[in-house]
Amino acid sequence: MDHLENAPNDPIIVCEDVHKWFDDFHVLKGITTSFQKGEKAVICGPSGSGKSTFIRTLNRLEEHQRGTIIVDGVELSDDLRNINLIRQEVGMVFQQFNLFPHLTNLQNITLGPIRVRKMTKSEAEEIALSLLERVDIVDQAYKYPSEISGGQQQRVAIARALAMEPKIMLFDEPTSALDPEMITEVLDVMRELARSGMTMLVVTHEMGFAREVADRILFFDEGAIVEDAAPANFFDNPQHERTKLFISQTLQH
Amino acid sequence: MKILSWLKDNLFSTWYNTLLTVLALGFVYFLSKGILVWAFTDANWDVIPANLQLFSVGAYPRSEIWRVWVVLYTVCALLGLSGGIWGGLPFRFAIGIGSVGFVCALLPLFEWATRGWIFGNVALLGAFLVLGVNVRGLVSKMRPWILGAWLLSFPWTLIMLRGFGENSVLTTNWGGLLLTLILAAVGIVFCFPLGVLLALGRRSSFPAVKWVSTAYIELVRGVPLITILFMAQIMIPIFMPNVRLDKVLRAMLGITFFSAAYMAENVRGGLQAIPKGQYEAAHALGLNYPLTTLFIILPQALRSVIPAIVGQFIALFKDTSLVTIVGLLDLLGIAKTVIANPDWLGLQAEVYLFVAVIYFVFSYSMSYVSQKIETALGVGKT
């Protein structure tokens, strides 16, 4: 893990021996890792390996049962105030977009800033429009999510998360529900976001994106991190047998 | 030719369809002939205009009837103002009510004084409609005030109808359509929020809230409305001799608490249809439980169950007729007293038909408005 030695030691997320069970099923088996400010980490692994569950514990959409998670200096516990504080700092983008269908795209974006950040409507709309500009769909502002394509919906979802001005962005398989021709437009937005210096944790199967954008790739298998390396090492010199198999399988297509 | 081919395709395509068509036409012919012949020859419709005041307000004293008009004027003014400010559906609704009133004032159904009052109502409604349209752009944030005014119109109506001092009108004298509408309006307006709270309570993660809500819903749904009305009228005075609640108020409470349980189940159906991702997206934005519920979950949940909710409202409206059993004279109760009057013996058919038409007009109006709301909100579209 030589890349970490070069990074400034200023972790924004620290996980210490994180365990999670779904009833009897041990999903996360002691995850210990940390992420630096501005770091772009791609998390991959076979389905059922716990990678999605892991990033969902980071804003407590899933509770962990053992170990500690500290995000931006605040420990995730049962304290509701802490959770809502952290959720304001951590934006999340979902596989199924999860836009609010009864609100226009613009209202989807302004809701958080108005109700949580207590911005005025005009301030929030100004920010929302500039974000829609940034994700290149400002002309869809007054349509409803059901009236635009999947790729456009996912870009609105990214703008919605960014409107809260988060310090960290979590992406949970953001392109897995998209038709192939729409994947690029979403990945382009994410590349741009990465260049702007955002701290990003991305669960994805897009290995091209990982190689290009990531500072670091974590490979999950059966609830544990089995490989944690810079992209060059990860792809060209994987240490673990399971990783080798995964890479050979994913790079075939 | 088009008609002929349509007839052939749809009504006379095979010998058994032809047979069914002929039989059905014969049935419809004899039934409608019977009804029409009865309605225009045998029926004695004098009973309706002669008792119109009873049907409208029951035993409400004639000298105090101005109170009812004041209430109607208040409602018309509010309706006009809302229609003007909102535009769209409320506007058309106000226009519709105004037109009905105008026609009523023109037709010689009522005595001259009454027609004058009705005409005044229509004029007031029109005036406030125009006022509303004109202030729409001028004053921002009018809508919450109008909603507040609608809420205040409830105590205002009750106080106005009841009055104070020696001229006050005991609620036992309230009756007819007036009583039916008051019971229904109070029931509808208050069972709705109560039902929403119970539905949320039943899905709460706090065991105490959850069990209390569930127990309430299941208990009330397991009991007929009549039983609850009897409990409210007879048992409360026995169990709590020191509590003296007004009889009409007790009926209101009974109807409201009864309907709330059904409302809760309707709303819960809508809540269960909301995908988990909606909660997760709201939480991920840092919205807490009340904000998520208010801005994300309820708007979607309620929209999807509007048909069920309006069905519940219509059922409640018709169920108010059960208060006859505990001695209140609502529209149906008044109908029974009119029939029992020796002057109008043997006129059940006329009276009940008239009452049925009134119930239908109100029920169908609610149904119609709900269909319009559904279209406006795009229910059924994804």
Side-chain angles (χ1 to χ4, degrees):
Chain A
M1 290 192 246
D2 51 347
H3 61 285
L4 277 182
E5 289 157 24
N6 303 332
N9 196 19
D10 184 14
I12 193 163
I13 299 174
V14 180
C15 303
E16 189 73 47
D17 193 32
V18 174
H19 287 262
K20 169 149 188 81
W21 287 264
F22 284 127
D23 296 324
D24 287 341
F25 180 55
H26 200 171
V27 207
L28 298 179
K29 298 172 182 165
I31 306 290
T32 302
T33 186
S34 63
F35 299 92
Q36 305 298 318
K37 235 174 225 170
E39 190 171 6
K40 290 106 188 75
V42 162
I43 299 167
C44 59
S47 54
S49 59
K51 57 192 191 303
S52 277
T53 308
F54 171 64
I55 71 162
R56 287 160 60 88
T57 58
L58 298 181
N59 65 350
R60 210 168 174 86
L61 289 181
E62 303 286 354
E63 277 174 44
H64 58 287
Q65 279 108 15
R66 222 170 74 194
T68 53
I69 300 175
I70 297 169
V71 177
D72 198 24
V74 181
E75 186 180 349
L76 281 177
S77 62
D78 287 330
D79 189 337
L80 273 174
R81 263 171 311 167
N82 280 355
I83 295 172
N84 281 328
L85 267 182
I86 286 170
R87 282 173 175 166
Q88 294 175 35
E89 305 300 333
V90 181
M92 184 149 194
V93 175
F94 300 88
Q95 184 179 353
Q96 300 294 342
F97 329 136
N98 295 345
L99 291 177
F100 306 127
H102 61 301
L103 302 177
T104 62
N105 295 324
L106 188 73
Q107 288 169 328
N108 262 279
I109 302 172
T110 56
L111 183 86
I114 292 175
R115 300 296 168 193
V116 181
R117 293 264 193 241
K118 306 288 177 203
M119 270 184 210
T120 66
K121 197 178 164 205
S122 55
E123 275 178 300
E125 282 182 352
E126 199 176 313
I127 292 173
L129 286 170
S130 72
L131 282 168
L132 282 172
E133 188 102 43
R134 189 169 164 191
V135 299
D136 203 21
I137 37 172
V138 77
D139 49 330
Q140 311 290 346
Y142 298 97
K143 287 191 182 167
Y144 285 87
S146 58
E147 297 169 324
I148 60 177
S149 74
Q152 291 173 325
Q153 288 188 48
Q154 192 61 298
R155 287 186 280 154
V156 172
I158 293 173
R160 174 176 72 179
L162 290 176
M164 294 296 287
E165 292 169 350
K167 294 179 178 162
I168 303 162
M169 285 284 285
L170 306 175
F171 293 83
D172 187 4
E173 304 203 28
T175 56
S176 300
L178 292 174
D179 291 338
E181 72 267 24
M182 293 171 184
I183 291 178
T184 322
E185 64 189 54
V186 171
L187 290 183
D188 281 346
V189 168
M190 290 168 64
R191 281 192 194 97
E192 188 273 324
L193 189 60
R195 279 196 297 274
S196 76
M198 175 67 73
T199 310
M200 291 165 69
L201 273 64
V202 185
V203 173
T204 186
H205 300 294
E206 295 294 329
M207 287 302 124
F209 174 82
R211 193 193 277 271
E212 181 192 334
V213 173
D215 300 319
R216 177 182 165 198
I217 301 180
L218 292 88
F219 181 77
F220 268 64
D221 190 35
E222 293 182 350
I225 300 173
V226 294
E227 190 101 22
D228 181 351
N233 285 338
F234 181 86
F235 287 110
D236 304 332
N237 187 22
Q239 301 300 305
H240 199 276
E241 280 306 313
R242 192 67 192 80
T243 324
K244 285 175 190 165
L245 181 67
F246 180 82
I247 290 170
S248 71
Q249 281 170 343
T250 48
L251 290 187
Q252 268 166 14
H253 40 236
Chain B
M1 286 307 101
K2 225 175 184 180
I3 301 171
L4 275 184
S5 69
W6 183 89
L7 283 177
K8 190 172 184 317
D9 288 349
N10 291 286
L11 297 175
F12 301 102
S13 53
T14 59
W15 67 267
Y16 50 86
N17 274 348
T18 309
L19 184 66
L20 280 176
T21 304
V22 170
L23 283 177
L25 280 178
F27 179 73
V28 170
Y29 171 73
F30 283 109
L31 192 69
S32 40
K33 186 186 164 198
I35 291 175
L36 288 174
V37 166
W38 170 81
F40 286 105
T41 59
D42 290 349
N44 177 5
W45 293 107
D46 291 345
V47 63
I48 308 301
N51 293 294
L52 209 51
Q53 187 174 356
L54 271 180
F55 285 122
S56 315
V57 293
Y60 207 88
R62 218 176 160 81
S63 60
E64 300 295 320
I65 214 103
W66 59 272
R67 298 176 178 281
V68 181
W69 287 114
V70 170
V71 167
L72 276 179
Y73 274 58
T74 316
V75 171
C76 276
L78 270 176
L79 187 63
L81 203 56
S82 317
I85 287 176
W86 259 268
L89 195 60
F91 183 81
R92 273 180 284 155
F93 187 67
I95 293 281
I97 297 278
S99 316
V100 171
F102 189 67
V103 171
C104 282
L106 284 184
L107 293 177
L109 290 171
F110 307 94
E111 41 193 282
W112 282 107
T114 314
R115 287 163 73 178
W117 283 108
I118 296 178
F119 193 74
N121 250 322
V122 174
L124 188 74
L125 191 139
F128 271 87
L129 199 64
V130 173
L131 179 72
V133 171
N134 283 307
V135 298
R136 195 190 291 175
L138 293 178
V139 193
S140 60
K141 310 222 167 158
M142 282 287 279
R143 295 177 178 196
W145 288 101
I146 299 289
L147 286 178
W150 274 111
L151 269 186
L152 280 180
S153 73
F154 278 88
W156 164 251
T157 299
L158 298 183
I159 291 166
M160 199 60 221
L161 289 176
R162 179 76 164 72
F164 291 105
E166 46 189 82
N167 284 332
S168 64
V169 182
L170 292 178
T171 55
T172 40
N173 289 329
W174 300 9
L177 186 60
L178 174 73
L179 181 63
T180 298
L181 290 182
I182 288 177
L183 287 174
V186 168
I188 285 171
V189 168
F190 291 96
C191 84
F192 179 67
L194 199 57
V196 170
L197 286 180
L198 282 168
L200 292 173
R202 189 165 187 173
R203 287 166 56 87
S204 167
S205 50
F206 297 106
V209 176
K210 182 177 178 170
W211 292 123
V212 168
S213 305
T214 309
Y216 176 88
I217 291 168
E218 294 305 334
L219 196 69
V220 171
R221 290 206 310 159
V223 177
L225 175 56
I226 295 188
T227 320
I228 290 177
L229 290 175
F230 270 128
M231 292 260 284
Q233 300 297 346
I234 295 161
M235 314 274 262
I236 289 180
I238 294 176
F239 293 146
M240 296 186 281
N242 299 324
V243 180
R244 295 199 66 79
L245 279 180
D246 185 275
K247 208 172 175 183
V248 169
L249 183 63
R250 276 181 280 169
M252 284 173 182
L253 291 175
I255 290 170
T256 304
F257 287 131
F258 177 78
S259 292
Y262 286 86
M263 187 57 61
E265 288 300 274
N266 285 337
V267 173
R268 192 165 69 97
L271 291 174
Q272 270 165 344
I274 306 292
K276 200 167 146 239
Q278 293 290 307
Y279 291 92
E280 291 182 348
H283 291 156
L285 284 175
L287 271 72
N288 56 22
Y289 175 80
L291 289 175
T292 304
T293 307
L294 202 59
F295 293 108
I296 306 300
I297 304 306
L298 278 182
Q300 296 184 58
L302 294 180
R303 181 184 300 207
S304 66
V305 293
I306 287 174
I309 290 176
V310 176
Q312 176 66 32
F313 286 167
I314 292 174
L316 184 152
F317 174 69
K318 293 183 295 182
D319 281 350
T320 56
S321 56
L322 287 170
V323 296
T324 327
I325 289 172
V326 289
L328 293 173
L329 295 176
D330 72 317
L331 185 57
L332 193 66
I334 284 290
K336 284 182 183 158
T337 64
V338 168
I339 292 163
N341 184 336
D343 294 346
W344 306 107
L345 275 183
L347 297 180
Q348 287 96 327
E350 288 85 343
V351 169
Y352 281 134
L353 201 63
F354 172 72
V355 168
V357 166
I358 293 190
Y359 274 110
F360 175 78
V361 166
F362 279 95
S363 302
Y364 184 72
S365 306
M366 282 194 260
S367 179
Y368 181 80
V369 169
S370 115
Q371 285 169 27
K372 291 293 158 196
I373 295 176
E374 279 170 45
T375 325
L377 292 179
V379 176
K381 287 195 292 180
T382 46

mmCIF file of all heavy atoms in Angstrom, chain B residues 69-103:
data_model
loop_
_atom_site.group_PDB
_atom_site.id
_atom_site.type_symbol
_atom_site.label_atom_id
_atom_site.label_comp_id
_atom_site.label_asym_id
_atom_site.label_seq_id
_atom_site.Cartn_x
_atom_site.Cartn_y
_atom_site.Cartn_z
ATOM 1 N N TRP B 69 -78.067 31.351 7.148
ATOM 2 C CA TRP B 69 -77.660 32.148 5.983
ATOM 3 C C TRP B 69 -76.297 32.790 6.190
ATOM 4 O O TRP B 69 -75.479 32.825 5.268
ATOM 5 C CB TRP B 69 -78.711 33.219 5.667
ATOM 6 C CG TRP B 69 -79.946 32.628 5.064
ATOM 7 C CD1 TRP B 69 -81.191 32.584 5.616
ATOM 8 C CD2 TRP B 69 -80.053 31.972 3.799
ATOM 9 N NE1 TRP B 69 -82.075 31.940 4.785
ATOM 10 C CE2 TRP B 69 -81.396 31.554 3.657
ATOM 11 C CE3 TRP B 69 -79.149 31.678 2.783
ATOM 12 C CZ2 TRP B 69 -81.859 30.875 2.542
ATOM 13 C CZ3 TRP B 69 -79.608 31.008 1.668
ATOM 14 C CH2 TRP B 69 -80.944 30.610 1.544
ATOM 15 N N VAL B 70 -76.037 33.265 7.417
ATOM 16 C CA VAL B 70 -74.720 33.856 7.688
ATOM 17 C C VAL B 70 -73.624 32.831 7.424
ATOM 18 O O VAL B 70 -72.617 33.122 6.772
ATOM 19 C CB VAL B 70 -74.647 34.384 9.139
ATOM 20 C CG1 VAL B 70 -73.213 34.770 9.480
ATOM 21 C CG2 VAL B 70 -75.585 35.557 9.316
ATOM 22 N N VAL B 71 -73.870 31.603 7.903
ATOM 23 C CA VAL B 71 -72.883 30.545 7.678
ATOM 24 C C VAL B 71 -72.690 30.301 6.179
ATOM 25 O O VAL B 71 -71.568 30.216 5.685
ATOM 26 C CB VAL B 71 -73.320 29.245 8.390
ATOM 27 C CG1 VAL B 71 -72.486 28.071 7.908
ATOM 28 C CG2 VAL B 71 -73.202 29.406 9.881
ATOM 29 N N LEU B 72 -73.816 30.212 5.457
ATOM 30 C CA LEU B 72 -73.709 29.976 4.017
ATOM 31 C C LEU B 72 -72.961 31.108 3.326
ATOM 32 O O LEU B 72 -72.162 30.882 2.425
ATOM 33 C CB LEU B 72 -75.109 29.827 3.401
ATOM 34 C CG LEU B 72 -75.716 28.426 3.496
ATOM 35 C CD1 LEU B 72 -77.096 28.413 2.881
ATOM 36 C CD2 LEU B 72 -74.815 27.419 2.790
ATOM 37 N N TYR B 73 -73.250 32.338 3.783
ATOM 38 C CA TYR B 73 -72.545 33.480 3.193
ATOM 39 C C TYR B 73 -71.047 33.386 3.452
ATOM 40 O O TYR B 73 -70.234 33.651 2.574
ATOM 41 C CB TYR B 73 -73.104 34.799 3.738
ATOM 42 C CG TYR B 73 -74.309 35.293 2.971
ATOM 43 C CD1 TYR B 73 -75.447 34.512 2.842
ATOM 44 C CD2 TYR B 73 -74.309 36.536 2.357
ATOM 45 C CE1 TYR B 73 -76.541 34.931 2.134
ATOM 46 C CE2 TYR B 73 -75.412 36.979 1.641
ATOM 47 C CZ TYR B 73 -76.531 36.178 1.525
ATOM 48 O OH TYR B 73 -77.608 36.608 0.807
ATOM 49 N N THR B 74 -70.669 32.993 4.675
ATOM 50 C CA THR B 74 -69.249 32.850 4.988
ATOM 51 C C THR B 74 -68.601 31.834 4.051
ATOM 52 O O THR B 74 -67.543 32.077 3.469
ATOM 53 C CB THR B 74 -69.074 32.362 6.440
ATOM 54 O OG1 THR B 74 -69.961 33.080 7.270
ATOM 55 C CG2 THR B 74 -67.656 32.548 6.904
ATOM 56 N N VAL B 75 -69.274 30.693 3.928
ATOM 57 C CA VAL B 75 -68.705 29.619 3.110
ATOM 58 C C VAL B 75 -68.578 30.070 1.649
ATOM 59 O O VAL B 75 -67.557 29.827 1.002
ATOM 60 C CB VAL B 75 -69.565 28.340 3.224
ATOM 61 C CG1 VAL B 75 -69.106 27.299 2.220
ATOM 62 C CG2 VAL B 75 -69.491 27.783 4.626
ATOM 63 N N CYS B 76 -69.636 30.763 1.164
ATOM 64 C CA CYS B 76 -69.596 31.209 -0.231
ATOM 65 C C CYS B 76 -68.473 32.223 -0.459
ATOM 66 O O CYS B 76 -67.779 32.176 -1.477
ATOM 67 C CB CYS B 76 -70.931 31.813 -0.641
ATOM 68 S SG CYS B 76 -72.103 30.562 -1.145
ATOM 69 N N ALA B 77 -68.304 33.129 0.507
ATOM 70 C CA ALA B 77 -67.238 34.124 0.371
ATOM 71 C C ALA B 77 -65.880 33.425 0.322
ATOM 72 O O ALA B 77 -65.036 33.716 -0.536
ATOM 73 C CB ALA B 77 -67.290 35.108 1.531
ATOM 74 N N LEU B 78 -65.669 32.461 1.230
ATOM 75 C CA LEU B 78 -64.398 31.731 1.264
ATOM 76 C C LEU B 78 -64.193 30.953 -0.031
ATOM 77 O O LEU B 78 -63.094 30.930 -0.593
ATOM 78 C CB LEU B 78 -64.388 30.762 2.447
ATOM 79 C CG LEU B 78 -63.840 31.304 3.752
ATOM 80 C CD1 LEU B 78 -63.975 30.265 4.855
ATOM 81 C CD2 LEU B 78 -62.373 31.676 3.583
ATOM 82 N N LEU B 79 -65.269 30.319 -0.479
ATOM 83 C CA LEU B 79 -65.184 29.528 -1.702
ATOM 84 C C LEU B 79 -64.800 30.412 -2.888
ATOM 85 O O LEU B 79 -63.913 30.066 -3.681
ATOM 86 C CB LEU B 79 -66.520 28.838 -1.961
ATOM 87 C CG LEU B 79 -66.565 27.836 -3.114
ATOM 88 C CD1 LEU B 79 -65.629 26.674 -2.815
ATOM 89 C CD2 LEU B 79 -67.978 27.330 -3.329
ATOM 90 N N GLY B 80 -65.469 31.581 -2.974
ATOM 91 C CA GLY B 80 -65.165 32.500 -4.057
ATOM 92 C C GLY B 80 -63.720 32.954 -4.008
ATOM 93 O O GLY B 80 -62.988 32.917 -5.008
ATOM 94 N N LEU B 81 -63.263 33.326 -2.799
ATOM 95 C CA LEU B 81 -61.895 33.813 -2.627
ATOM 96 C C LEU B 81 -60.886 32.716 -3.009
ATOM 97 O O LEU B 81 -59.930 32.961 -3.744
ATOM 98 C CB LEU B 81 -61.702 34.240 -1.169
ATOM 99 C CG LEU B 81 -60.592 35.237 -0.892
ATOM 100 C CD1 LEU B 81 -60.772 36.490 -1.729
ATOM 101 C CD2 LEU B 81 -60.587 35.592 0.592
ATOM 102 N N SER B 82 -61.133 31.478 -2.510
ATOM 103 C CA SER B 82 -60.211 30.383 -2.822
ATOM 104 C C SER B 82 -60.179 30.119 -4.323
ATOM 105 O O SER B 82 -59.110 29.951 -4.909
ATOM 106 C CB SER B 82 -60.635 29.089 -2.115
ATOM 107 O OG SER B 82 -61.021 29.347 -0.811
ATOM 108 N N GLY B 83 -61.384 30.072 -4.921
ATOM 109 C CA GLY B 83 -61.454 29.816 -6.357
ATOM 110 C C GLY B 83 -60.686 30.866 -7.133
ATOM 111 O O GLY B 83 -59.952 30.560 -8.066
ATOM 112 N N GLY B 84 -60.836 32.127 -6.708
ATOM 113 C CA GLY B 84 -60.164 33.214 -7.399
ATOM 114 C C GLY B 84 -58.660 33.139 -7.241
ATOM 115 O O GLY B 84 -57.907 33.354 -8.192
ATOM 116 N N ILE B 85 -58.197 32.812 -6.029
ATOM 117 C CA ILE B 85 -56.761 32.834 -5.773
ATOM 118 C C ILE B 85 -56.079 31.602 -6.360
ATOM 119 O O ILE B 85 -55.011 31.697 -6.960
ATOM 120 C CB ILE B 85 -56.492 32.950 -4.254
ATOM 121 C CG1 ILE B 85 -56.827 34.367 -3.809
ATOM 122 C CG2 ILE B 85 -55.054 32.604 -3.924
ATOM 123 C CD1 ILE B 85 -56.712 34.598 -2.344
ATOM 124 N N TRP B 86 -56.708 30.438 -6.218
ATOM 125 C CA TRP B 86 -56.072 29.213 -6.710
ATOM 126 C C TRP B 86 -56.188 29.083 -8.222
ATOM 127 O O TRP B 86 -55.295 28.593 -8.878
ATOM 128 C CB TRP B 86 -56.691 27.972 -6.055
ATOM 129 C CG TRP B 86 -55.860 27.411 -4.957
ATOM 130 C CD1 TRP B 86 -54.906 26.438 -5.081
ATOM 131 C CD2 TRP B 86 -55.881 27.777 -3.580
ATOM 132 N NE1 TRP B 86 -54.344 26.181 -3.860
ATOM 133 C CE2 TRP B 86 -54.931 26.985 -2.917
ATOM 134 C CE3 TRP B 86 -56.613 28.685 -2.831
ATOM 135 C CZ2 TRP B 86 -54.684 27.072 -1.551
ATOM 136 C CZ3 TRP B 86 -56.371 28.769 -1.481
ATOM 137 C CH2 TRP B 86 -55.415 27.986 -0.858
ATOM 138 N N GLY B 87 -57.373 29.461 -8.735
ATOM 139 C CA GLY B 87 -57.615 29.186 -10.146
ATOM 140 C C GLY B 87 -57.815 27.689 -10.340
ATOM 141 O O GLY B 87 -57.977 26.945 -9.375
ATOM 142 N N GLY B 88 -57.794 27.245 -11.577
ATOM 143 C CA GLY B 88 -57.869 25.814 -11.864
ATOM 144 C C GLY B 88 -59.107 25.161 -11.289
ATOM 145 O O GLY B 88 -60.216 25.674 -11.412
ATOM 146 N N LEU B 89 -58.880 24.033 -10.619
ATOM 147 C CA LEU B 89 -59.994 23.230 -10.125
ATOM 148 C C LEU B 89 -60.879 23.975 -9.117
ATOM 149 O O LEU B 89 -62.108 23.981 -9.268
ATOM 150 C CB LEU B 89 -59.443 21.933 -9.532
ATOM 151 C CG LEU B 89 -60.465 20.831 -9.292
ATOM 152 C CD1 LEU B 89 -61.131 20.428 -10.596
ATOM 153 C CD2 LEU B 89 -59.807 19.630 -8.651
ATOM 154 N N PRO B 90 -60.305 24.619 -8.085
ATOM 155 C CA PRO B 90 -61.166 25.364 -7.150
ATOM 156 C C PRO B 90 -61.995 26.436 -7.862
ATOM 157 O O PRO B 90 -63.156 26.664 -7.508
ATOM 158 C CB PRO B 90 -60.169 26.005 -6.172
ATOM 159 C CG PRO B 90 -58.968 25.151 -6.244
ATOM 160 C CD PRO B 90 -58.899 24.647 -7.653
ATOM 161 N N PHE B 91 -61.398 27.065 -8.869
ATOM 162 C CA PHE B 91 -62.109 28.093 -9.624
ATOM 163 C C PHE B 91 -63.339 27.496 -10.292
ATOM 164 O O PHE B 91 -64.460 28.002 -10.157
ATOM 165 C CB PHE B 91 -61.166 28.695 -10.679
ATOM 166 C CG PHE B 91 -61.778 29.815 -11.478
ATOM 167 C CD1 PHE B 91 -61.835 31.095 -10.967
ATOM 168 C CD2 PHE B 91 -62.292 29.565 -12.741
ATOM 169 C CE1 PHE B 91 -62.396 32.122 -11.698
ATOM 170 C CE2 PHE B 91 -62.862 30.586 -13.477
ATOM 171 C CZ PHE B 91 -62.918 31.869 -12.949
ATOM 172 N N ARG B 92 -63.121 26.356 -10.977
ATOM 173 C CA ARG B 92 -64.246 25.730 -11.675
ATOM 174 C C ARG B 92 -65.294 25.237 -10.685
ATOM 175 O O ARG B 92 -66.489 25.286 -10.953
ATOM 176 C CB ARG B 92 -63.736 24.575 -12.548
ATOM 177 C CG ARG B 92 -63.305 25.062 -13.926
ATOM 178 C CD ARG B 92 -62.804 23.919 -14.763
ATOM 179 N NE ARG B 92 -61.463 23.526 -14.330
ATOM 180 C CZ ARG B 92 -60.964 22.313 -14.507
ATOM 181 N NH1 ARG B 92 -61.687 21.384 -15.065
ATOM 182 N NH2 ARG B 92 -59.741 22.052 -14.124
ATOM 183 N N PHE B 93 -64.822 24.761 -9.520
ATOM 184 C CA PHE B 93 -65.740 24.283 -8.490
ATOM 185 C C PHE B 93 -66.630 25.435 -8.016
ATOM 186 O O PHE B 93 -67.854 25.304 -7.900
ATOM 187 C CB PHE B 93 -64.939 23.697 -7.326
ATOM 188 C CG PHE B 93 -65.781 23.035 -6.286
ATOM 189 C CD1 PHE B 93 -66.469 21.869 -6.583
ATOM 190 C CD2 PHE B 93 -65.895 23.578 -5.017
ATOM 191 C CE1 PHE B 93 -67.252 21.243 -5.630
ATOM 192 C CE2 PHE B 93 -66.675 22.963 -4.061
ATOM 193 C CZ PHE B 93 -67.352 21.793 -4.362
ATOM 194 N N ALA B 94 -66.002 26.591 -7.759
ATOM 195 C CA ALA B 94 -66.760 27.763 -7.306
ATOM 196 C C ALA B 94 -67.774 28.182 -8.360
ATOM 197 O O ALA B 94 -68.939 28.488 -8.053
ATOM 198 C CB ALA B 94 -65.802 28.913 -6.987
ATOM 199 N N ILE B 95 -67.327 28.175 -9.610
ATOM 200 C CA ILE B 95 -68.237 28.527 -10.700
ATOM 201 C C ILE B 95 -69.423 27.556 -10.731
ATOM 202 O O ILE B 95 -70.586 27.960 -10.871
ATOM 203 C CB ILE B 95 -67.489 28.480 -12.062
ATOM 204 C CG1 ILE B 95 -66.429 29.575 -12.135
ATOM 205 C CG2 ILE B 95 -68.470 28.597 -13.223
ATOM 206 C CD1 ILE B 95 -66.965 30.933 -12.446
ATOM 207 N N GLY B 96 -69.115 26.261 -10.556
ATOM 208 C CA GLY B 96 -70.164 25.240 -10.580
ATOM 209 C C GLY B 96 -71.191 25.474 -9.488
ATOM 210 O O GLY B 96 -72.401 25.483 -9.736
ATOM 211 N N ILE B 97 -70.704 25.689 -8.253
ATOM 212 C CA ILE B 97 -71.605 25.929 -7.128
ATOM 213 C C ILE B 97 -72.434 27.182 -7.389
ATOM 214 O O ILE B 97 -73.661 27.215 -7.162
ATOM 215 C CB ILE B 97 -70.794 26.102 -5.820
ATOM 216 C CG1 ILE B 97 -70.046 24.810 -5.493
ATOM 217 C CG2 ILE B 97 -71.696 26.516 -4.672
ATOM 218 C CD1 ILE B 97 -70.867 23.769 -4.809
ATOM 219 N N GLY B 98 -71.764 28.227 -7.875
ATOM 220 C CA GLY B 98 -72.462 29.483 -8.167
ATOM 221 C C GLY B 98 -73.569 29.268 -9.194
ATOM 222 O O GLY B 98 -74.692 29.766 -9.019
ATOM 223 N N SER B 99 -73.280 28.487 -10.237
ATOM 224 C CA SER B 99 -74.289 28.249 -11.274
ATOM 225 C C SER B 99 -75.484 27.510 -10.698
ATOM 226 O O SER B 99 -76.645 27.867 -10.969
ATOM 227 C CB SER B 99 -73.696 27.425 -12.410
ATOM 228 O OG SER B 99 -72.431 27.914 -12.743
ATOM 229 N N VAL B 100 -75.206 26.469 -9.891
ATOM 230 C CA VAL B 100 -76.300 25.717 -9.275
ATOM 231 C C VAL B 100 -77.167 26.654 -8.435
ATOM 232 O O VAL B 100 -78.403 26.641 -8.524
ATOM 233 C CB VAL B 100 -75.742 24.566 -8.401
ATOM 234 C CG1 VAL B 100 -76.865 23.927 -7.582
ATOM 235 C CG2 VAL B 100 -75.087 23.524 -9.287
ATOM 236 N N GLY B 101 -76.498 27.508 -7.639
ATOM 237 C CA GLY B 101 -77.243 28.463 -6.801
ATOM 238 C C GLY B 101 -78.083 29.406 -7.649
ATOM 239 O O GLY B 101 -79.249 29.677 -7.339
ATOM 240 N N PHE B 102 -77.494 29.870 -8.737
ATOM 241 C CA PHE B 102 -78.183 30.828 -9.603
ATOM 242 C C PHE B 102 -79.455 30.199 -10.192
ATOM 243 O O PHE B 102 -80.537 30.797 -10.173
ATOM 244 C CB PHE B 102 -77.235 31.261 -10.726
ATOM 245 C CG PHE B 102 -77.754 32.396 -11.550
ATOM 246 C CD1 PHE B 102 -77.899 33.668 -10.984
ATOM 247 C CD2 PHE B 102 -78.100 32.214 -12.868
ATOM 248 C CE1 PHE B 102 -78.381 34.717 -11.727
ATOM 249 C CE2 PHE B 102 -78.593 33.257 -13.618
ATOM 250 C CZ PHE B 102 -78.734 34.518 -13.057
ATOM 251 N N VAL B 103 -79.315 28.958 -10.658
ATOM 252 C CA VAL B 103 -80.470 28.256 -11.214
ATOM 253 C C VAL B 103 -81.544 28.066 -10.145
ATOM 254 O O VAL B 103 -82.740 28.289 -10.376
ATOM 255 C CB VAL B 103 -80.031 26.895 -11.812
ATOM 256 C CG1 VAL B 103 -81.247 26.066 -12.197
ATOM 257 C CG2 VAL B 103 -79.143 27.122 -13.019
#
